[in-house]
Amino acid sequence: MPDPGTTAVVIVLPDATPLLDAAWRIDPTLVRPGMPAHVSLLYPFVPRSALTGQDEQRVRSLAAEFPATDLLLTEVVTAPGFVAVTVAELQPIVDAFRTQWPGSRPYGGRFGARPAAHVTVAMGADDPTTAAHVRTAVGGLLPLRARAVAIQLVVLTEEGWQSQFTTPLSRPHGG
């Protein structure tokens, strides 16, 4: 578990909540409390103690460069202890945020230099049987339509993840 004060920039996907619900029904400990279905753009981001108004403005400005997007979630992927659904349509947004903050190592480097855009469904699924059950349950819900409309900056507190602010995806007029 990351330290309180850790921040992340995410695209929340409420329409993907059934995927997390499926994992929760198999084992509630696999789903992070307080964190809705989302795609991480930058995790970890700037620590809360170092976060500036300029960082927040850069997040808002970059979000405004991208339109709201309809998604079709179709593919489950797994790695040891991990089950996710890929979201290739959001990779350009993920790449733009990582380019804007080149010092941020996605997931601390755990998944390489350029991990694919994805919705994490289950973490800590170390038992292969449990992971297989989650994969099967999630796969049975696909394809799933979702819509990406906003970006959130979230911070980990003693009570769990909490939103600091939400900003819309909204390509400027004429863009």
Side-chain angles (χ1 to χ4, degrees):
M1 179 76 134
D3 296 327
T6 298
T7 64
V9 180
V10 303
I11 297 177
V12 176
L13 299 177
D15 300 327
T17 299
L19 304 175
L20 275 63
D21 291 345
W24 186 87
R25 284 190 297 274
I26 291 165
D27 181 348
T29 66
L30 300 177
V31 179
R32 288 167 287 179
M35 186 60 97
H38 69 281
V39 172
S40 293
L41 301 175
L42 291 171
Y43 170 79
F45 187 50
V46 177
R48 185 179 196 179
S49 61
L51 195 63
T52 67
Q54 182 179 8
D55 292 318
E56 292 183 12
Q57 184 54 44
R58 286 169 60 196
V59 168
R60 292 176 193 279
S61 294
L62 194 51
E65 293 181 18
F66 293 91
T69 304
D70 290 318
L71 310 167
L72 185 62
L73 309 180
T74 62
E75 182 184 6
V76 180
V77 295
T78 58
F82 176 80
V83 179
V85 173
T86 60
V87 190
E89 299 97 331
L90 294 181
Q91 194 66 48
I93 300 173
V94 171
D95 291 344
F97 271 80
R98 291 178 186 163
T99 297
Q100 185 73 28
W101 283 273
S104 175
R105 288 182 50 219
Y107 308 99
R110 178 177 172 201
F111 301 108
R114 189 177 179 256
H118 64 275
V119 174
T120 300
V121 175
M123 290 186 62
D126 298 320
D127 173 53
T129 302
T130 300
H133 287 310
V134 172
R135 181 183 178 94
T136 299
V138 169
L141 297 172
L142 302 179
L144 180 69
R145 294 194 179 282
R147 183 155 174 83
V149 298
I151 290 175
Q152 285 188 350
L153 187 134
V154 295
V155 63
L156 183 61
T157 69
E158 295 292 339
E159 292 78 38
W161 290 97
Q162 296 181 356
S163 176
Q164 289 294 109
F165 69 81
T166 300
T167 189
L169 291 167
S170 56
R171 180 166 285 148
H173 294 351

